Amino acid sequence: MLPPAGRNGHFAPVRVNDQLTLDFMSVPAPEGHHLAFDVDPDTFDAILARLRDGGVPYGSEPGVPDNGRTDHPLCARGLFFRDDSGNLYEVMSPA
């Protein structure tokens, strides 16, 4: 049985909104995954602002996640960025 989630638990929950919580955990040898999110324009703007404020590189294509562009090939605006574990996050917005 896993210990309860939270600060001293197995997972560190990160609440995204009222319907979504991402549970993170540390592992000795992480392997990266591709996580994609469709978001509304206001949420996209907020994510982009947080990336810029935090100095996190982002880009418009998975092979170039640091070109500073948001002209995603499949939607009006989109971007990719990586975390220290090698996960590739994709954020897409219709406008």
Side-chain angles (χ1 to χ4, degrees):
M1 181 172 180
L2 295 175
R7 182 179 182 139
N8 297 315
H10 189 68
F11 294 97
V14 177
R15 180 172 290 287
V16 176
N17 59 35
D18 290 338
Q19 292 89 25
L20 178 63
T21 300
L22 299 178
D23 292 332
F24 289 87
M25 65 184 243
S26 294
V27 294
E31 58 181 70
H33 295 279
H34 179 178
L35 302 119
F37 301 91
D38 287 320
V39 301
D40 61 75
D42 290 338
T43 301
F44 184 88
D45 290 339
I47 292 168
L48 181 57
R50 288 183 69 182
L51 291 172
R52 286 178 174 160
D53 290 347
V56 177
Y58 63 89
S60 58
E61 297 184 31
V64 192
D66 60 356
N67 66 12
R69 295 172 36 188
T70 61
D71 55 325
H72 193 284
L74 301 177
C75 59
R77 292 190 308 159
L79 58 83
F80 296 85
F81 66 96
R82 291 194 183 278
D83 67 15
D84 293 338
S85 296
N87 293 310
L88 178 67
Y89 297 88
E90 180 177 10
V91 183
M92 299 175 284
S93 176

